[in-house]
């Protein structure tokens, strides 16, 4: 997403761009694959920033100016999420007032704390919007509702407002979207996303995110620019402290004084530029950052409509218990799946799969390290065993799935790594910890002149909306430098 949006922004602003993609299809995680008669979405559960029914969100405005809105249809999903725990379940609507009612109804003894926390997240979100619009950090709201929470985790803030462990879990439920448990994830990131999704709901792409990636390619190619697939970059050529071009995997030399790398900074610097040419300070900064978590996914094509299977919600979370921190810690040392999300794409739009069928994807956070320890001879059996465990737990919520399974595919963090080159199969680059948010993340300016980064590893973070924004920002910085140079 970062590379495509950078290229589309540059091309629509009169620059001639050549986009080089290693894979045979564009998009990285933003794509699809086909098994049997099913086309599976690889990644996207939740697209934020469109706000289809409210005031147009920032992603909507960016998509409009790039020409995406003319090419891709989006749908809004009504409910925010359904959360299932061993002894209760709850569905949170995507509407602030209705959600508050449901939450207070479920936890009447926590009504004040719940309202206070929802109000607090809304205020933080408003303050971020104000800051983005004005850039003025001296405003009272920006100081009190946003800057005051820098360095705070979700747990720091939520647990002061809400004491009941079950209510805390329900309100922390989407922590998986940010790859960290409540005691580690940035409150600011969580609150701004939660409040936005709560108000405007989840958007889904009609088709899959491959449709979005292909639309970016069309825009680039219509503007006198080119996209080459099956064309990986092996080396970045340099002259002094400037980039000069690239050497492709086919040994073709392509010269350019400017480039945006959507390849993670570790590989870009160590393998493509060469450690000796990168200033130590850049690596020192890189080493201060951890690698965010990957995913274990079970993609299922079912030969019955979702209504017959009793599936009513797009996103269902199936949890082992209420302590997300404990479950997350276990996933650092084991391939065993903990809590997971179940996305049923036909609930977002009925044509997600052929008539009379359903596409369902189970997705859990999974670290690469425990997978590295599995011997290659046991890898397939292990991933299938983990998938079986997730399926068993899903069947307790939606019985009878197994009888309707036509196609199943399982991916792990190693699959993510293989297809995108992201270290650890990370889906978010570096983790969304309180000291690694927005502009605190790795800079977009690379270690050599003319080189910029876009994508999950850099500002402003991992996820579709953020990576698209990072591409736009990288393109703007590049054009500014080019203008200054004359
Ligand atoms: C299962 C899953 C679920 C997710 N769910 C959501 C969600 O619901 N909402 C959300 O917002 N985000 C979600 N994400 C995260 C989101 O998909 C990513 O953060 C985002 O798409 C990453 O984009 P990126 O720009 O960093 O590039 P990447 O997707 O990492 O792509 C990098 C590209 O670089 C190419 N490349 C690598 N090496 C080379 C080379 N040497 N030469 C040329 N090309 C090269 C790769 O082939 C790839 O196309 C999910 C991710 C996964 C895996």
């Amino acid at each position: 997403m970062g590379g495509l949006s950078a290229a589309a922004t540059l091309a629509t602003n009169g620059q001639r761009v050549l986009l080089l993609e290693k894979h045979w299809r564009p998009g990285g995680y933003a794509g699809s694959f086909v098994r049997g008669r099913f086309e599976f979405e690889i990644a996207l559960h939740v697209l934020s920033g469109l706000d289809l029914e409210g005031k147009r969100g920032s992603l909507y405005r960016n998509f409009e100016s790039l020409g995406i809105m003319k090419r891709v249809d989006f749908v809004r999903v009504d409910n925010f999420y359904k959360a299932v725990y061993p002894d209760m379940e709850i569905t949170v609507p995507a509407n602030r007032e209705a959600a508050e009612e449901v939450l207070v109804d479920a936890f009447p003894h926590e009504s004040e704390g719940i309202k206070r926390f929802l109000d607090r997240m809304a205020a933080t979100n408003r303050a971020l919007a104000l800051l983005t619009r004005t850039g003025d950090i001296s405003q009272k709201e920006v100081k009190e509702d946003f800057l005051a929470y820098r360095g705070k985790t979700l747990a720091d803030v939520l647990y002061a407002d809400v004491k009941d462990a079950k209510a805390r879990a329900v309100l922390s439920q989407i922590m998986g979207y940010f790859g960290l448990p409540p005691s580690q994830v940035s409150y600011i990131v969580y609150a701004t996303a939660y409040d936005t999704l709560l108000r405007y709901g989840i958007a889904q792409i009609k088709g899959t995110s491959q449709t979005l990636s292909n639309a970016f390619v069309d825009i680039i190619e219509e503007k006198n620019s080119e996209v080459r697939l099956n064309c990986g970059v092996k080396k970045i050529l340099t002259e002094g402290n400037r980039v000069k071009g690239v050497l492709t995997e086919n040994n073709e030399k392509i010269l350019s004084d400017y480039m945006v790398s959507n390849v993670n900074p570790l590989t870009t610097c160590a393998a493509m530029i060469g450690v000796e040419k990168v200033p130590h300070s850049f690596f020192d900064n890189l080493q201060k950052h951890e690698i965010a978590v990957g995913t274990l996914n079970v993609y299922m094509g079912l030969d019955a409509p979702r209504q017959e299977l009793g599936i009513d919600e797009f996103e269902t979370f199936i949890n082992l218990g209420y302590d997300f921190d404990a479950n997350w810690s276990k996933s650092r040392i084991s391939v065993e799946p903990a809590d997971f999300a179940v996305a049923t794409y036909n609930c977002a739009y009925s044509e997600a799969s052929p008539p009379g069928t359903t596409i369902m994807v189970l997705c859990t956070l999974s670290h690469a390290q425990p997978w590295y320890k599995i011997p290659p001879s046991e890898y397939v059996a292990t991933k299938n065993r983990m998938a079986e465990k997730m399926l068993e737990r899903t069947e307790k919520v939606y019985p009878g799935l197994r009888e309707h399974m036509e196609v199943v595919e399982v991916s792990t963090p190693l699959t993510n790594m293989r297809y995108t080159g992201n270290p650890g199969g990370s889906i978010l680059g570096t983790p969304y910890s309180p000291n690694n948010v927005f502009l605190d993340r790795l800079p977009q300016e690379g270690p050599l002149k003319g080189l910029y980064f876009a994508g999950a590893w850099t500002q402003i973070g991992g996820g579709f909306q953020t990576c698209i924004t990072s591409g736009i920002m990288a393109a703007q910085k590049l054009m500014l430098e080019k203008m200054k140079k004359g």
Side-chain angles (χ1 to χ4, degrees), residues 76-287:
R76 185 182 188 276
V77 179
D78 284 337
N79 279 329
F80 190 3
Y81 55 85
K82 170 171 167 173
V84 180
Y85 306 91
D87 59 356
M88 70 165 270
E89 68 174 60
I90 186 167
T91 298
V92 181
N95 171 289
R96 169 59 211 275
E97 289 70 34
E100 186 177 306
E101 220 177 291
V102 166
L103 289 164
V104 166
D105 200 42
F107 308 104
H109 52 289
E110 285 282 11
S111 65
E112 267 181 40
I114 289 169
K115 284 180 195 163
R116 198 165 46 241
F117 185 66
L118 292 175
D119 284 344
R120 198 185 294 281
M121 289 197 289
T124 301
N125 201 14
R126 277 197 305 275
L128 172 64
L130 185 64
L131 179 60
T132 315
R133 218 171 41 245
T134 62
D136 179 359
I137 57 165
S138 67
Q139 295 167 97
K140 187 172 173 283
E141 296 90 330
V142 173
K143 277 191 196 157
E144 287 177 7
D145 300 328
F146 186 81
L147 296 177
Y149 294 105
R150 281 185 86 177
K152 299 269 188 235
T153 66
L154 168 63
D156 288 339
V157 183
L158 169 65
Y159 296 1
D161 283 335
V162 177
K163 305 295 172 202
D164 184 297
K166 295 183 181 181
R168 285 175 172 179
V170 175
L171 284 161
S172 321
Q173 186 62 72
I174 65 161
M175 63 100 196
Y177 295 161
F178 313 100
L180 284 175
S183 73
Q184 294 182 47
V185 71
S186 153
Y187 160 76
I188 287 179
V189 165
Y190 190 91
T192 49
Y194 193 102
D195 183 65
T196 304
L197 293 170
L198 179 62
R199 280 168 200 284
Y200 302 116
I202 293 167
Q204 258 303 324
I205 298 166
K206 262 194 163 184
T208 62
S209 56
Q210 194 63 61
T211 315
L212 175 62
S213 295
N214 294 347
F216 270 118
V217 170
D218 291 345
I219 290 165
I220 297 162
E221 289 183 335
E222 277 169 20
K223 302 279 178 193
N224 198 23
S225 291
E226 188 187 337
V227 175
R228 271 190 224 168
L229 303 175
N230 287 314
C231 193
V233 171
K234 192 156 70 179
K235 287 276 168 211
I236 292 178
L237 309 173
T238 62
E239 197 178 280
N241 66 348
R242 272 208 81 86
V243 293
K244 267 301 177 203
V246 293
L247 185 68
T248 69
E249 285 173 348
N250 309 324
N251 287 323
E252 188 185 352
K253 220 183 209 182
I254 299 166
L255 298 182
S256 172
D257 285 342
Y258 295 94
M259 62 188 71
V260 176
S261 178
N262 192 198
V263 181
N264 68 85
L266 284 167
T267 309
T268 303
C269 292
M272 290 158 81
I273 297 176
V275 179
E276 67 291 350
K277 293 185 193 156
V278 175
H280 288 307
S281 55
F282 193 86
F283 274 117
D284 286 348
N285 188 20
L286 212 55
Q287 274 167 359

Side-chain angles (χ1 to χ4, degrees), residues 61-80:
R61 293 194 298 275
N62 286 332
F63 274 177
E64 240 177 1
S65 66
L66 288 170
I68 292 284
M69 292 314 288
K70 284 191 282 196
R71 291 174 163 85
V72 184
D73 291 325
F74 298 90
V75 287
R76 185 182 188 276
V77 179
D78 284 337
N79 279 329
F80 190 3

Side-chain angles (χ1 to χ4, degrees), residues 1-2 21-22 28-29 43 45-46 233 262 297 420 422 427 456 463-464:
M1 280 289 102
E21 165 56 57
K22 193 179 173 115
Y29 289 134
H45 290 227
V46 169
V233 171
N262 192 198
N297 275 20
T420 63
N422 280 304
I427 63 166
F464 274 63

Side-chain angles (χ1 to χ4, degrees), residues 318 340 342 362 390-398 401:
I318 300 183
F340 59 92
V342 179
L362 320 181
M390 288 164 78
L391 179 59
E392 245 171 55
R393 285 166 56 198
T394 310
E395 276 214 303
K396 292 204 172 110
V397 182
Y398 299 121
L401 293 180

